[in-house]
Amino acid sequence: MKYIDIHTHTVIPKAQENRISFYNRIIGQETLDDLSHLEMFSVGIHPWFIPSGENNDQLLKLLWEKAKQPEVWMIGEAGLDKLHETPLERQLDLFEQQVLLAEELHKPLIIHCVKAWSELIALRKKIRPLSPWLIHGFRGKRELAEQLLKENIYLSFGEQFQPAALQTAWPTHLFLETDESKLDIREIYEKAAAALSVPIEILAGQIEQNLSLLFSGE
Ligand SMILES: [Zn+2]
């Protein structure tokens, strides 16, 4: 049985055999250079860390150089956050560019979205991406989960979630993550298995299947 942590900021030594962790790096804040011992990354321009001095082209150029590397499995986290001070227009421009990058590289896109769901869905309808989209840290209610599933968007849940939303994403569109939590991914699996009333082995087996679908581009 494997534990898959689809999104984490915590560096985990490779030695932990029964887990797969996707470690997130933020362009403009961090590089990949000090992490050659890790195998799997996502890299993106996070809406919280858009430097006000640099223009979008410089940031995107930096991202492109990293994103092509084979150890970068996903683009992101990228997205939209209406509670953050960066003007939404600039966030939208950078997000759209990252959607297109994910398309070009055929890599899934991992998304941070706060209070900008209609903009997110509108952009999806405009671009009709083939690369899968995955919302990370989903804490929304069942109705929002249903709306996103209708668009074939995957949802990843962390330490805090709405059980009804989790049940909606189960079985085919569900992932789990630690993000910045102090909990171990095993504890998140336990919480999710309890909320779904399924044995943890069943949950883990399903998430493994979801992972292979995520990377087969379906
Ligand atoms: Zn994160």
Side-chain angles (χ1 to χ4, degrees), residues 7-9 24 26 46 77 112 136 177 179-180:
H7 179 82
T8 186
H9 296 268
N24 190 260
I26 299 169
H46 191 299
E77 61 189 289
H112 167 108
H136 103 84
E177 64 179 52
D179 195 16
E180 288 176 312

Side-chain angles (χ1 to χ4, degrees), residues 8-14 21 23 25 34-35 37-38 41:
T8 186
H9 296 268
T10 309
V11 178
I12 291 154
K14 208 179 188 175
S21 297
Y23 186 60
R25 292 302 260 181
D34 51 333
L35 295 166
H37 61 294
L38 295 171
F41 293 91

Side-chain angles (χ1 to χ4, degrees), residues 25-36:
R25 292 302 260 181
I26 299 169
I27 293 292
Q29 293 280 308
E30 305 160 324
T31 67
L32 298 185
D33 304 344
D34 51 333
L35 295 166
S36 51

Side-chain angles (χ1 to χ4, degrees), residues 39-57:
E39 287 176 329
M40 292 157 141
F41 293 91
S42 51
V43 292
I45 302 163
H46 191 299
W48 290 359
F49 302 104
I50 299 174
S52 54
E54 270 167 278
N55 66 36
N56 290 2
D57 292 348

